[in-house]
Amino acid sequence: MVELAEKPRGRRGRRGAQRTGEAGQNDHLRVPFISRRIPTYDILSEDSLAQIEATAERIMAEIGIEFREDPETVALFRAAGAEVAELTSDSWNLKFAPGLIRQILKTAPARFTQHARNPANTVEIGGDAMVFAPSYGSPFVMDLDKGRRYGTIEDFQNFVKLAQMSPNLHHSGGTICEPTDVAVNKRHLDMVYAHIRYSDRAFLGSITAPERAEDSIEMCRILFGADFVDENCVIMGNFNTTSPLVIDGITSRGIRAYAAAGQGSIHLPFLLGGAVAPLTMAGSLAQCLAESMVSCAITQLVRPGAPCVLASFISSMSLRSGSPTFGTPEPALASLAMGQLARRLNLPLRCAGNFSTSKLPDAQGMQQSMMSMMSAVQCGANYILHSAGFLDGLLSMSYEKFILDADLCGALHAYLKGFEVNEDTLGFDALAEGGPGEHLFSTQHTLRHYQTAYWDSAVDDHQPWETWDEQGGVDAATRANARWKAQLAAYEAPALDEGMDEALQDFITRKKAEMPDAWY
Amino acid sequence: MVELAEKPRGRRGRRGAQRTGEAGQNDHLRVPFISRRIPTYDILSEDSLAQIEATAERIMAEIGIEFREDPETVALFRAAGAEVAELTSDSWNLKFAPGLIRQILKTAPARFTQHARNPANTVEIGGDAMVFAPSYGSPFVMDLDKGRRYGTIEDFQNFVKLAQMSPNLHHSGGTICEPTDVAVNKRHLDMVYAHIRYSDRAFLGSITAPERAEDSIEMCRILFGADFVDENCVIMGNFNTTSPLVIDGITSRGIRAYAAAGQGSIHLPFLLGGAVAPLTMAGSLAQCLAESMVSCAITQLVRPGAPCVLASFISSMSLRSGSPTFGTPEPALASLAMGQLARRLNLPLRCAGNFSTSKLPDAQGMQQSMMSMMSAVQCGANYILHSAGFLDGLLSMSYEKFILDADLCGALHAYLKGFEVNEDTLGFDALAEGGPGEHLFSTQHTLRHYQTAYWDSAVDDHQPWETWDEQGGVDAATRANARWKAQLAAYEAPALDEGMDEALQDFITRKKAEMPDAWY
């Protein structure tokens, strides 16, 4: 291996001045979002897909979706042709004739742009575009030093900073962790501010109450200008149906708020098979499609052309305890099929992510993550929330897992780029140069491709065992622990106009002063 | 979650008598080998594949393959039409006109059977059949208690036992680790005996010298009877080319020994891009195809119809140290393409495995493994060596990684089975039964599918954090450590006829007495 070690070393020395030198940067792969260059992995036949779609139509037409506490949404659907049955004074069952929802969704864009305050970080969502965003919604955070505890606004800010520093993520996400030290009715203000202040990427706004959705959008009007916001998507809300087959008023009113402002929304059924959905994948998919399609349709009734994202979060359960399980094979298959269904509907898709039930950033954590995340990228999902940090069945956001996942996201940049087949990459001349038995270290072909041929990990150890052992013999989680601390220590906030910052802070101060703290 | 916990518990109690109760058994998924039910993941276009094939033909026709120290193989190729140039008194460059090797390979079977001494464990190799075998060839072994040390025959036997006990592996493999406490010229006898004595699955024989290959086959004649061996494949040899573009005499003579006996052989170029192959994937693939095709062709010249397996082990290197890297994205893509090339050639394929450069059964270990192993199963590889135990860039066989990998192989059984779409699995009636807002825990559909809907891991932890924490808060590697010890403690050897055992031992005793120990 002497030759191997020497040739590249010479080149590294020469290029050192041009590169940051920091591991894991992969400048040749840097993009504001990924444009997938490999085909999707399509596992279901046309016939199977048609059967799932037909069952989704039957669910919408024969069982219906229940709406609660939002007569305005019910009125919109009634006007569009839905069959409405009043269940109580504030709940309704809505049935949709076959094809009705699909027809309503025809005005939804197949691909749209979400603007970031730094235009270089603006992302596209749909088609062959893919966007990685941090995990979302954990009440707890954990790291190897302090273990598991409730998340705080400081943790939240830390994760926004770590995401901003990662060349492998594209979006700042939303509720990266719950900042439980801030009142529930005020924390959305601090979260949106953190995304704006500590990141210059696109992000998600609040969905926990319609007025919090409005606040989130209003802060974007301060940042981007009201006219720009009216004409462009600058924020999105991530909404959950109440499975099976219910959309509550908080959700539908929030969806209407985003759509009315021309902003994006994601429509996610969280389907735990056997609990809130059939536990067979075909049934989970039909239900997921029905729920997400109806939820998406709200946006088009409010404002035709408003961006909306079909979504899927199909999970399994332990046969022993009944607990939800993540990163298992059956939901990975369902994700692949969901990609096919979304393309047939011509809507962008949010799907899967780096899911795990492990309580540590260990072998289980990354094995499960990989099984889930590979399905996300192979199915052609366009917006992949939960791309970094997910542990403990989504109950905890892990600092170390965030680093490991973000590194994996880097590998996926190389994976999704595929490889070219042409005279240069076929390398016949390089092989012919030396012929049988001759190494290729010093061929022009090797020297020309050396810096960009392979993805460069920031945390994996590729050293000989002896070197690794001499350096302490630490595992990947321990390296990730050192890395997030080093990253936070090196973090520099992106520039933000002072006047803008003051205006945002004034808005927050005023809003907070308007209401007493509430913890629900 | 009360309902969820209660319903299944009742069912588990009722079924307890019928099941082992042991986690990870997945009786509904048990098979002697996998029949892949999902499509392969095809990433290259017909045009790109044709370009790679054309380059492979150019390599064979214009650069040629160098053979060393085996005039008989050279004579066979000369008779078949190869253009032979003598380089030295014992080395030759052979060039093959475009299409010649492909023509010779037409007699090779697309799919064949390898018999196990227990007929229930007989495997098929080729087509949609997939066989998982343990890792192969590490000089070191490691576990969490004793760290890394040279492998011994006891370690070797332990891994044979662990493989035999796993419902997720199908084949006993070959040199699971090097038994360095046995003389090099004798260890093949102890290894083959261990596979026969401690397992009743199919296995690989020795390839380190032609006479050791003959010994391996002779032991099979004792076990299966000489007539049966002449008519059936009962053992295979795993051969490496000497890349780039060399096949040495030890290798070609070993290949001839297996082929002459009608036994199987695997033909593997180990291509480290930039060192012994072009570092662009297209070039690595063309070279891999050329080397493996020529190596396979030897078998058909010796005995047309002898089983042979195309193989691929394309790896990357660290941009920093020049060290080989495993489980990275570029080789995963190459594996997917290799599956396409093998199908066009109509030959079985060995490809990828649970590769990693990690020195521990940690997050890196399983992330890299997953990226590599997913490519193996998605490309439709038929024989997947290195399915369990691979760490340290193949230098170490890990007891804990073996357990984690075997568990992952279980998940892949569920994955490769895909899922059915039919009236039952679409579950419309189950959803309609309760309607919106009603859980599905107690529907007939849920109860009917509950036991088989989801894969059941033997090592993953899906418990609530609190329970996991109370039980010691251990990581996956620690659970795997406990599991391999428990497995070995519970191991029972499969029955072996005493007369047969004696005959095998007599053979070994006689062979060992015939020669002094040699350590090369």
Side-chain angles (χ1 to χ4, degrees), chain A residues 4 12 39 41 244 275 280 283 319-320 322 330 357 359 362 364 378 425 437 440 455-456 461-463 476 479, chain B residues 4 12 39 41 244 275 280 283 319-320 322 330 357 359 362 364 378 425 437 440 450 455-456 461-463 476 479:
Chain A
L4 185 58
R12 281 203 311 285
Y41 188 16
T280 41
L319 300 176
R320 295 169 186 280
E330 296 84 4
T357 48
K359 271 59 97 181
D362 63 353
Q364 176 185 342
Q378 292 177 338
T425 62
L440 285 82
W455 173 70
D456 178 34
D461 185 282
H462 296 301
Q463 303 178 102
R479 291 193 298 273
Chain B
L4 184 56
R12 278 203 311 285
Y41 188 17
T280 41
L319 299 177
R320 295 169 186 281
E330 297 85 3
T357 48
K359 270 59 94 183
D362 63 353
Q364 177 186 342
Q378 292 175 339
T425 61
L440 284 83
Y450 185 74
W455 172 70
D456 177 35
D461 185 282
H462 296 302
Q463 303 178 101
R479 292 193 297 275

Side-chain angles (χ1 to χ4, degrees), chain B residues 17-30:
Chain B
Q18 297 150 271
R19 298 180 68 191
T20 65
E22 193 190 337
Q25 290 298 303
N26 296 288
D27 291 341
H28 64 291
L29 295 171
R30 287 191 88 147

Side-chain angles (χ1 to χ4, degrees), chain B residues 144-164:
Chain B
L144 293 186
D145 304 309
K146 292 189 275 181
R148 187 195 203 231
R149 72 274 182 187
Y150 279 104
T152 64
I153 190 67
E154 186 186 348
D155 290 309
F156 188 99
Q157 292 164 352
N158 284 342
F159 282 116
V160 171
K161 292 174 183 176
L162 290 172
Q164 167 75 7

